[in-house]
Amino acid sequence: MGAVTLGLLSSHLGIAQAAGEPETGVGTSLTTGVALTDDPVADEASTESEAEDSDPDAAPSAEELALGADSTAGGPEAAPETAEDGERVGLDPGRKAACDERVKDAAGIPGAQFASCASALEPAVELNAEEETALAHIESPTDTSETESAVLAGAPDTDETASHASAADAPEETASPAVPADESADAAAVARAKPWKEPKWCIDAGVDSTWYIERMRGCGIWRAEVNAVDVRTGRKVGGIKYLVISYSFSARDSKTWAYQVRLLESSRWGRAVNGTKASGSASCVGKCKVVNKSFPAQAISKSAEPYGQFFMDTTINTAAAKQRGTGRSVASWTFSNPEWVAPSEPTRHSTVDVRCDNALPGASSQVGCVTLQAVPVISYSLTGPWPEVAKHIKDAQATGLPGRYGTTNYLTRLTDRKKIRENRGKACPSAATLPRPPGKSCDEYPFASTWQGAKYGSGEFSRRMVNAKQNTDAGKALKGFYTYSRVLEGDRLLVWIR
């Protein structure tokens, strides 16, 4: 189911809803600002099972999970510039001072002629001609889920102390990539033996020095350079400008996540740069550890693209219940050249925060990882299988109720079963109090399984009598969506009506 559902995640691209005029559709009861203590049915739970999201601790059926996967929508969004702990996601500042110091030190070494200086990530306003050429040959599939599933299914499990060394750890290392591309190798091994193909949306976004994120992947392109410096004059005599493509991905049912950096030369000039190689390593910040790293020394040129691949495991205590923790991997790489007195100082770049947990209701023994800051989106279509439910949500959102895709007025998940029932009882009391027409059931928005529901939210909510089967199936999709996207207690979500 993991490989199938990962494929379904990328089958939808989100487009922000146009803001409609506030209105309340026919058959809708919109309650606003009601004091809960004055409502005679505020604490009366519905006696009908009108939605399937009311028992969060029950494992979703295969049908529910498939409906939830198919209802998951939303394209990549720009990630915040800072991580969960407030650290900026990017390279180290202060490179000019560090470069000057390195050149000064090199000048005191007998026979030294050239030193090296590597830049930090540089802001990119637009692609230049050389960068466009460098990216033009990249094969970027729309759906990367099959490769990602194969990579994570065959992820190496060696401890980082026994993983493949690199020039960042041992300057003389010149080994080839860890896993050869052998014809008899399985799909996962073959995937590890060459660069993983980044999603098309990543290449299309171009060089704007920003992480773009989905719930289980992130990608972005940055600009940097490395220069050769004459230690006698302190002047640059040559350089290589290159692009950094960073790409990470996780899975809803795996404790392991992956990170790749690929370096693409866009241009070079001057002396003392021919024969330059790149190599690197990785570390992990937070609740994670590097379990395998491969970034051996590789030549960089217009036809050679050095890359490193790293695997991280969560270090949350999976023996205990309801654990969660975030981490991010930090890749580092250096450049070396026979004419330089020493390799360049390391260039570093980190992923965005990845959260791993075993706290998912209905799947408490399963460990999975998601991109923390990517807000999951469930989508219902006005022309799909549940049009009455979709129309109700669209009308309710038009009145200003929260959760509309394209806004930051989020819904947040509620997993307490008693509170969910109270939310539903407030919006949709029993049939004895609120009769249902034949074939209809009561649908409420915001969802009872959110903290914005009728009782525990602002007091504003909408209810409408809709086709009973549509209501039930839409509820199944919501439950499957929670599991598929690993939406935990308090997690944000949005609803897109197509």
Side-chain angles (χ1 to χ4, degrees):
M1 180 62 72
V4 175
T5 53
L6 274 171
L8 286 169
L9 176 63
S10 294
S11 65
H12 302 284
L13 290 177
I15 301 174
Q17 298 170 356
E21 292 297 322
E23 62 175 325
T24 302
V26 176
T28 297
S29 171
L30 180 66
T31 305
T32 59
V34 175
L36 298 182
T37 55
D38 295 334
D39 193 322
V41 296
D43 298 313
E44 182 180 351
S46 171
T47 59
E48 298 186 17
S49 179
E50 293 182 313
E52 296 299 322
D53 63 352
S54 58
D55 185 4
D57 294 320
S61 65
E63 176 193 13
E64 289 167 339
L65 193 55
L67 288 172
D70 199 40
S71 297
T72 299
E77 58 186 275
E81 293 183 353
T82 56
E84 187 184 39
D85 59 6
E87 287 289 324
R88 186 177 177 86
V89 177
L91 293 184
D92 300 329
R95 287 305 180 91
K96 179 64 168 63
C99 179
D100 291 344
E101 190 66 28
R102 288 173 63 83
V103 173
K104 181 180 178 181
D105 291 343
I109 300 175
Q113 185 175 5
F114 301 110
S116 59
C117 290
S119 76
L121 290 180
E122 299 175 357
V125 178
E126 59 183 21
L127 273 72
N128 58 41
E130 290 86 0
E131 290 168 343
E132 289 180 349
T133 300
L135 289 174
H137 74 282
I138 299 293
E139 296 180 15
S140 50
T142 300
D143 183 1
T144 56
S145 57
E146 185 175 347
T147 299
E148 292 167 355
S149 297
V151 167
L152 292 174
D157 57 3
T158 54
D159 186 80
E160 66 173 325
T161 56
S163 62
H164 304 284
S166 67
D169 303 312
E172 299 302 317
E173 175 63 62
T174 57
S176 58
V179 184
D182 185 81
E183 291 183 1
S184 63
D186 61 21
V190 171
R192 292 198 305 273
K194 56 187 178 183
W196 306 318
K197 294 180 179 180
E198 300 88 354
K200 185 176 185 300
W201 48 259
C202 182
I203 307 303
D204 289 347
V207 187
D208 60 2
S209 303
T210 301
W211 273 104
Y212 288 90
I213 53 175
E214 293 182 329
R215 192 65 168 171
M216 282 170 273
R217 58 179 61 86
C219 190
I221 307 176
W222 288 259
R223 172 187 286 163
E225 65 180 284
V226 59
N227 293 290
V229 180
D230 189 318
V231 300
R232 294 165 298 182
T233 65
R235 303 176 70 173
K236 295 178 182 179
V237 297
I240 298 174
K241 293 184 177 181
Y242 66 99
L243 302 178
V244 181
I245 307 180
S246 293
Y247 171 37
S248 69
F249 52 90
S250 60
R252 52 170 296 275
D253 53 1
S254 174
K255 68 176 183 178
T256 302
W257 47 285
Y259 179 30
Q260 173 180 279
V261 291
R262 180 156 50 148
L263 313 182
L264 279 66
E265 178 179 319
S266 58
S267 64
R268 68 171 57 195
W269 65 280
R271 297 182 292 150
V273 290
N274 290 337
T276 298
K277 293 184 177 182
S279 57
S281 187
S283 59
C284 225
V285 177
K287 292 289 187 178
C288 58
K289 65 178 180 179
V290 180
V291 293
N292 190 278
K293 51 189 175 185
S294 176
F295 197 160
Q298 302 156 73
I300 182 169
S301 69
K302 289 289 185 68
S303 59
E305 301 167 358
Y307 67 96
Q309 295 174 338
F310 317 108
F311 291 88
M312 282 60 61
D313 274 4
T314 181
T315 56
I316 62 171
N317 179 16
T318 56
K322 297 183 178 181
Q323 300 297 298
R324 64 176 82 182
T326 61
R328 60 184 182 274
S329 180
V330 182
S332 62
W333 58 92
T334 61
F335 294 93
S336 60
N337 187 290
E339 296 189 63
W340 301 347
V341 67
S344 67
E345 68 272 31
T347 296
R348 296 182 177 87
H349 190 226
S350 69
T351 65
V352 293
D353 290 317
V354 174
R355 183 191 69 194
C356 300
D357 74 89
N358 65 345
L360 183 66
S364 58
S365 62
Q366 179 191 80
V367 181
C369 303
V370 299
T371 305
L372 177 62
Q373 293 166 313
V375 178
V377 179
I378 186 169
S379 176
Y380 294 126
S381 173
L382 294 169
T383 58
W386 318 303
E388 292 188 19
V389 174
K391 183 63 165 61
H392 175 213
I393 296 173
K394 179 179 176 65
D395 291 341
Q397 289 180 343
T399 69
L401 289 175
R404 183 169 67 86
Y405 182 55
T407 73
T408 56
N409 192 11
Y410 303 110
L411 300 176
T412 49
R413 189 181 180 189
L414 170 64
T415 59
D416 184 289
R417 186 175 183 180
K418 179 177 182 291
K419 288 181 172 64
I420 292 172
R421 289 178 61 86
E422 290 173 341
N423 270 341
R424 181 162 294 114
K426 170 70 177 178
C428 294
S430 67
T433 303
L434 183 68
R436 277 65 161 166
K440 299 285 187 178
S441 65
C442 181
D443 180 43
E444 80 282 350
Y445 187 86
F447 305 130
S449 53
T450 67
W451 281 99
Q452 292 70 34
K455 179 170 182 178
Y456 289 93
S458 66
E460 299 180 356
F461 63 90
S462 177
R463 67 176 171 231
R464 179 178 294 181
M465 298 301 167
V466 301
N467 178 279
K469 186 177 188 310
Q470 289 186 29
N471 199 14
T472 296
D473 289 346
K476 290 179 179 178
L478 180 61
K479 181 173 183 176
F481 161 78
Y482 284 148
T483 300
Y484 177 68
S485 294
R486 296 200 75 89
V487 184
L488 306 185
E489 168 69 34
D491 276 4
R492 302 174 299 175
L493 65 136
L494 291 168
V495 187
W496 175 35
I497 302 302
R498 294 181 283 130

